[in-house]
Amino acid sequence: MAAAGAEAAAEEEKRLPEGDPESGGDSDDEGDSDSSGDGEDEEKENEAEIQRLEEQLSINAFDYNCHLDLIKLLRQEGELVKLRRARQKMSELFPLTEEIWLDWLKDEIKMASEISEREKVYELFERAVKDYICPEIWLEYAQYSIGGIGQEGGIEKVRSIFERALTAVGLHVTKGTALWEAYREFENAILETAQPAPGSIPSPEQQQVLCSQLEKIHTLFRRQLGIPLLDMEASYAEYEEWSEEPIPETTIKNYKKALQQLEKCKPYEEALLGAETPKLAEYQAYIDFEMKAGDPARIQLIYERALAENCLVPDLWARYNQYLDRQLKVKELVLSAHDRAVRNCPWTVGLWIRYLLAMERHRVEHSIISEMFEKALNAGFIQATDYVEIWQAYLDYLRRRVDFTQDSSKELEELRSAFARAVEYLKQEVEERFSESGDPSCTIMQNWARVEARLCNNMQKARELWDNIMTKGNAKYANMWLEYYNLERAHGDTQHCRKALHRAVQCTSDYPEHVCEVLLTLERIEGTLEDWDAAVQKTENRLARVNEQRAKAAEKEAALAKQEEERAEQRKQARAEKKASKKAKKTKIGDKRKADEDDEGEWGQEEELPSKRHRGEGDGVLPEEDMEVEAGLFGRGEKPDGPAGPKEKASTSRKDIPKVLHDSSKDKVTVFVSNLSYTMAEPEAKLRELFGSCGEVVEIRAVFNNKGTFRGYCYVQFREEEAARQALALDRTAVEGRPMFVSPCVDKNKNPDFKVFRYSTTLEKHKLFISGLPFSCTKEELEEVCKAHGNVKDIRLVTNRAGKPKGLAYVEYESEAQASQAVLKMDGLTMKDHVIKVMISNPPLRKLPDRPEPGRASLPMAPRQIYGARGKGRTQLSMMPRALQRQSNPVAKAENGMVQNSPAASSDPPAEPKKMSNADFAKMLLKK
């Protein structure tokens, strides 16, 4: 505690303001008080934070980051007792990283002065080297042991630690040299102490000690030069300079062989050096290389190196443990690796199952295996089925312990008790957490029934279990009844077989024909005439009911199909009516303005404007009718002579500039840009500047409506196809406050299966879906929260078409393990008074409705006014007096404020309305 007080005093001195060499003086009193006040406030804040972290760990002891924060704060405050306790608790739950161990060891080394305290440091080192194979920790261990060389057996203890270190990491290509050199320096120091005094003649005993020590150093050089290590040429030169004798030929031969092997390893080491974390692909290539070479020690070392940097990757642990189980089969090594695997990735049920099997394989005591199974149940698996798997693995182990030649035994009772506990556990604990038991088919109860029937000859208990299985919603499945029937057939009697099949015929709803066939086969072989008649009658009645139900279902399906056909016909009719309405409206407007015949013809044949696109993420391209004619540069023509208003200018420019036909042959060098602001000024110039970085832009065809207003989408044509591909990377770029959608130029009518949605719609175990976020949450704020649980590759905040956040986000991690850990830690977290929900990304199947045609009716309802998404626009108001809006056909529908005859009544185009003079109008109004 005195040392801690000295450290605190030194820290306080550092906090003094610069330029105050002395603490005395009246002028400094105010500054000193401010400084001490700030220090007290910071100390109180740290104490409150320490208390909060301790409370959080009392609730969730597996919060890894919370442990780290607590240790950091306690170390900062100098709370040695609490710091030791916090580190101890964390080391019991998780393997500690190299950095954490080195900090802990250095703190303890500073405090160790007595022999008893040094022994505790040795114990701590022993724990540290078991978590991961780290050259730095081994080197620190060996150097610390040199400090105890003066104790009894101190030299041999140092040598023993160095030898263990060389066995563990002496083959490390890039870091092994440091250990070899440290070992040689230690032996050289021993050699110096064994040298006789200058001018004296060594005794035979001294001469023998000198020769023995020299041979130890020679042996270290020779061993090192036979291993492929970086800078081994320098080691060889050092050996030549140190040795007074020529280097033996065998050493030179081994050295050259090691050099050749080093050249083969260098590409993999260079790949690791240049790669970014986590380097999984590079390590896997290195592992494959060493597996082909077949040296177990080198294979083990490269696996350990990979795991030191990827300790949260379950698949890597699984492959390593499989190699140890099948190849090395060394009990201590195998069990240590399995233990570290489940401590690093406790949420992975496969690692726990392999651990239980390894313990059984190496004949570990039953009590230890049972204790490990209980730890597995508390590991916090992320799926209900994981608990079924771990229970099944444990039950298999218990079953293998039972001697079924005995009628009763302690092991058999333990097995039955475990089966009952498993069923209850899945029903209570698992179902309460996941809203499902994870075992809908009751596989554990089925296995229990098989054990009772086949191994214990207890069919009564097996029937009770199957009766329980059927009451859990499985009675409607034919395969479940046939499974029970096969068990009765093998270990029961015909009466119970017949009873089971009769119940199956009555209850099965998926494949009743199969069950009926099995019942008839049974009666054909073993039944009496009465049994046969009863079976035939029962099966016929059941199949008749089934056929009747299927017929009703088919009729209902046919009726639905007919309704759908009628709706399609009505939609088709509505489209035809709308086209006829537009043609009639344009003709009447032309008559009212008394345009000449040429102008009328041009106006009447003008192509229909692109229909309003539907909202959604599929920002692809326009329908075919919109692609045929683009209003390329509408509103950008030359100014007519004489003054004219904006609307007249736009109209004039539309007539003067020819329509631009879409050239589908240039689709590969063209992208479709949408969701742009309607108020964008000069979209061509704006987009040319934006897309210019992708390649040479040949043309930008912005689309305008009849009034010359920009419609928010356009086509950008490039010179090269590669430029168009690069332009797709600008998708979702913010332009004037809205996300710009960029997609390939593809006609969806000709390519209905084309999809522009660039994000996966399937299960992605390395990606999280987060909902409930506050709308004010930024990408940086979310990343700050998420990166505490792993390396974040990408974060995508979901927005609407206007660029406004929707409170949703997708977070992609580098591995499934990190994503799983983040789900456990972040689900239910509070951010800005919002409780967020976090889950593995598994979007539901995208329901793609039929592509709506322009102006079609959505449902076959009674005739009504159909408006757009924003209500009734100005262009939908009728400009004709109501007196003229007579319906010549009662079936006609009103659309867009116009009334027209239904084209379904006649295949001929609607007749042009008769022209009326002013006198005709007056007569008609007087009649009214």
Side-chain angles (χ1 to χ4, degrees), residues 384-385 388 426 436-446 472 474:
T385 53
V388 179
L426 294 177
E436 59 167 329
S437 66
D439 191 16
S441 299
C442 301
T443 54
I444 288 182
M445 294 182 69
Q446 289 188 45
K472 294 183 179 297
N474 293 301

Side-chain angles (χ1 to χ4, degrees), residues 887-912:
Q887 294 184 359
S888 58
N889 192 329
V891 189
K893 295 182 179 180
E895 288 192 11
N896 297 333
M898 298 286 293
V899 180
Q900 71 279 345
N901 295 336
S902 172
S906 175
S907 60
D908 296 331
E912 184 175 346

Side-chain angles (χ1 to χ4, degrees), residues 608-613 619-623 625-627 629-632 671-680 683-684 687 700-705 709-716 738 740-741 743 801:
E608 179 180 300
L609 284 175
S611 60
K612 186 165 184 177
R613 299 174 63 243
D619 38 289
V621 287
L622 296 176
E625 59 265 30
D626 291 343
M627 295 181 67
V629 178
E630 299 169 9
V671 295
F672 178 73
V673 183
S674 60
N675 201 44
L676 299 171
S677 174
Y678 289 177
T679 61
M680 180 182 291
E684 295 93 338
L687 297 179
I700 295 181
R701 301 191 299 276
V703 181
F704 299 85
N705 61 14
T709 303
F710 181 47
R711 295 197 59 182
Y713 55 88
C714 64
Y715 297 86
V716 180
R738 295 171 64 89
M740 174 181 66
F741 298 161
S743 56
R801 295 177 67 88

Side-chain angles (χ1 to χ4, degrees), residues 727-742:
L728 297 176
L730 296 178
D731 185 36
R732 313 288 166 149
T733 301
V735 178
E736 296 188 1
R738 295 171 64 89
M740 174 181 66
F741 298 161
V742 184

Side-chain angles (χ1 to χ4, degrees), residues 226-513:
I227 299 173
L229 300 171
L230 289 183
D231 298 329
M232 60 186 307
E233 296 89 347
S235 300
Y236 183 81
E238 182 183 350
Y239 187 28
E240 281 185 318
E241 182 181 353
W242 180 85
S243 178
E244 298 176 355
E245 303 173 357
I247 299 178
E249 288 296 325
T250 55
T251 303
I252 296 175
K253 183 179 179 180
N254 291 336
Y255 168 68
K256 291 181 178 179
K257 184 178 179 181
L259 273 178
Q260 293 176 356
Q261 191 172 0
L262 177 62
E263 291 301 318
K264 296 179 181 178
C265 294
K266 272 186 177 180
Y268 298 99
E269 293 291 345
E270 291 172 356
L272 288 174
L273 188 62
E276 297 181 357
T277 306
K279 309 178 185 179
L280 272 175
E282 290 77 15
Y283 271 119
Q284 187 58 53
Y286 207 164
I287 290 171
D288 294 340
F289 165 73
E290 293 292 359
M291 292 286 281
K292 291 179 182 178
D295 186 344
R298 297 190 64 82
I299 294 172
Q300 180 192 355
L301 179 62
I302 190 59
Y303 262 121
E304 291 287 353
R305 287 178 61 185
L307 287 167
E309 295 190 46
N310 300 276
C311 59
L312 298 179
V313 180
D315 291 341
L316 188 59
W317 281 108
R319 290 195 294 270
Y320 181 40
N321 290 335
Q322 182 178 350
Y323 171 76
L324 296 177
D325 286 334
R326 296 180 180 180
Q327 302 298 326
L328 296 187
K329 301 180 181 180
V330 180
K331 178 179 178 180
E332 291 75 14
L333 183 61
V334 169
L335 295 182
S336 172
H338 279 288
D339 182 69
R340 288 186 291 139
V342 297
R343 289 173 67 199
N344 275 288
C345 307
W347 61 87
T348 307
V349 67
L351 296 178
W352 287 99
I353 293 175
R354 291 185 180 91
Y355 193 8
L356 294 178
L357 290 172
M359 296 175 77
E360 181 184 3
R361 198 177 291 120
H362 291 282
R363 303 186 183 281
V364 177
E365 293 182 7
H366 172 62
S367 60
I368 298 177
I369 296 179
S370 298
E371 182 181 351
M372 192 57 59
F373 168 71
E374 296 297 332
K375 288 183 179 180
L377 287 182
N378 296 321
F381 299 132
I382 59 177
Q383 296 180 2
T385 53
D386 292 345
Y387 288 94
V388 179
E389 293 180 26
I390 193 65
W391 267 110
Q392 192 58 64
Y394 183 59
L395 292 169
D396 292 345
Y397 157 71
L398 294 178
R399 194 266 307 163
R400 288 190 286 266
R401 296 182 67 245
V402 179
D403 181 7
F404 290 99
T405 59
Q406 302 178 9
D407 293 337
S408 180
S409 64
K410 178 181 177 182
E411 290 78 8
L412 178 58
E413 293 304 318
E414 185 178 4
L415 174 62
R416 284 172 171 161
S417 175
F419 267 119
R421 183 189 168 199
V423 173
E424 189 65 22
Y425 186 91
L426 294 177
K427 180 180 178 182
Q428 299 292 336
E429 303 290 336
V430 178
E431 194 165 349
E432 179 180 350
R433 177 180 173 187
F434 296 96
S435 300
E436 59 167 329
S437 66
D439 191 16
S441 299
C442 301
T443 54
I444 288 182
M445 294 182 69
Q446 289 188 45
N447 291 332
W448 188 3
R450 294 187 188 102
V451 169
E452 294 289 354
R454 298 176 185 176
L455 302 178
C456 301
N457 298 319
N458 188 353
M459 273 305 299
Q460 183 61 35
K461 180 63 175 179
R463 291 182 185 117
E464 292 176 4
L465 290 170
W466 267 105
D467 186 65
N468 195 1
I469 291 171
M470 291 305 181
T471 58
K472 294 183 179 297
N474 293 301
K476 58 184 177 181
Y477 300 117
N479 66 315
M480 299 295 288
W481 283 106
L482 295 179
E483 188 71 30
Y484 173 41
Y485 166 75
N486 291 332
L487 189 68
E488 282 284 0
R489 193 74 172 150
H491 307 285
D493 51 54
T494 305
Q495 179 182 358
H496 284 91
C497 288
R498 180 177 291 112
K499 183 178 179 182
L501 289 177
H502 275 273
R503 290 179 60 193
V505 169
Q506 188 69 26
C507 300
T508 301
S509 59
D510 54 352
Y511 298 105
E513 295 89 349

